[in-house]
Amino acid sequence: MNRQLENHIIDCLFELSRPLTGVPVTISLDADSHEVILQTIGTVVAVHTINTNQFLAMSPHAVLQLARSFAEDAGVAA
């Protein structure tokens, strides 16, 4: 994993883990397909994949908003 992607994932995890505004979503990387995977488990399992270039272009706040949207769809209080 390159340093830029690693730092961006850390920045996004920081946003996702904020006590009042965060969302219980995990971030993982599929290095073979060059995709970042966001996943949450609620009433249903929700998974969203993003191309690594698109992920790097998103601000951590935009990732938080995306995660909040699909976490709510999965029945996770966000």
Side-chain angles (χ1 to χ4, degrees), residues 42-66:
T43 306
V44 296
V45 174
V47 178
H48 186 80
T49 60
I50 307 169
N51 176 286
T52 54
N53 292 327
Q54 292 171 328
F55 178 73
L56 286 169
M58 295 175 73
S59 71
H61 184 72
V63 173
L64 173 65
Q65 295 302 323
L66 174 65

Side-chain angles (χ1 to χ4, degrees), residues 8-66:
H8 193 60
I9 289 173
I10 291 168
D11 291 343
C12 291
L13 288 172
F14 181 76
E15 284 294 319
L16 292 168
S17 65
R18 289 185 182 268
L20 297 177
T21 61
V23 182
V25 171
T26 61
I27 298 177
S28 57
L29 176 67
D30 183 342
D32 294 334
S33 65
H34 302 287
E35 291 181 329
V36 175
I37 303 160
L38 302 172
Q39 178 180 350
T40 189
I41 299 174
T43 306
V44 296
V45 174
V47 178
H48 186 80
T49 60
I50 307 169
N51 176 286
T52 54
N53 292 327
Q54 292 171 328
F55 178 73
L56 286 169
M58 295 175 73
S59 71
H61 184 72
V63 173
L64 173 65
Q65 295 302 323
L66 174 65

